Amino acid sequence: MGRIGPEVLGRLFDAHAAALALYARQWCDGPEADDLVQDAFLALARQQAVPDQAAAWLHRVVRNAALTAGRRTRRRQSREEQAGRARAGPWFSKVDDQLDARVAASHLSALDPDCREAIVARLWGELTFEQIAELQGCGLTTAHRRYRTGLARLLERLERSCPQTKAT
C-alpha cells in the first residue's frame, strides 16, 4: 500500500462513496456500480499521495471504469446475439418465428440462477447433464430438473410476452 493511510481513505470514502455510486449508476446497475466505487478507492490506496482534487480524481476513475465495463458488456451481448443467430440456422427463417433476443435474454436473466446456469450450460455450452451436475455440485436428476424447470418458466414468460392473435 502507498503512503495514504487508512484514516484518510476512510474519511474520503465516507465523504464521497455515496455520490460516486450514484454517479456510476448512470452507466451500470447497483452492484456493479458499487464494485466500481470500491475499485476506485483501491486505486486511490495504491497512490503515493492523495491527489490534489481527490473527489474529481475518484469521479474520473469511476467514469473510466464504468465506460470500459459498458463497452465490455455491449461486446459480450453482441457476441451472444451473433452466436444465437448462427445457432438458429434455418429453423427460424421467417421473421414471425424469431424471438426478440433482448426479451428472451431478459426473461432468461430473471430465472433462478441454478436454472439459468443449467440452461445456458446445456444450450450454449453444449454440456451433458452429467457435466452440468458436476459443475453445479448436484446430482444428475437435480441438474435435469433445473434445466426442465427453467425451460418451462422461460416458455411461460415468453408466451405471456407474445400477445395471441385470433386466426382469421
Side-chain angles (χ1 to χ4, degrees), residues 118-130:
I119 290 171
V120 171
R122 180 76 177 127
L123 296 180
W124 285 276
E126 299 179 351
L127 297 182
T128 65
F129 287 112
E130 291 85 6

Side-chain angles (χ1 to χ4, degrees), residues 30-94:
E32 187 178 5
D34 294 338
D35 289 345
L36 294 174
V37 171
Q38 289 178 3
D39 290 344
F41 278 97
L42 288 173
L44 179 62
R46 288 189 290 271
Q47 298 297 306
Q48 292 299 313
V50 177
D52 290 336
Q53 297 179 8
W57 188 90
L58 286 164
H59 276 78
R60 172 62 66 181
V61 171
V62 167
R63 180 183 187 279
N64 289 345
L67 293 175
T68 299
R71 283 191 298 272
R72 188 172 41 247
T73 298
R74 285 188 299 279
R75 283 192 304 266
R76 179 185 50 78
Q77 288 171 340
S78 176
R79 285 191 306 270
E80 289 172 357
E81 286 175 9
Q82 288 173 356
R85 283 193 299 271
R87 287 191 54 110
W91 300 289
F92 297 109
S93 56
K94 295 186 334 192

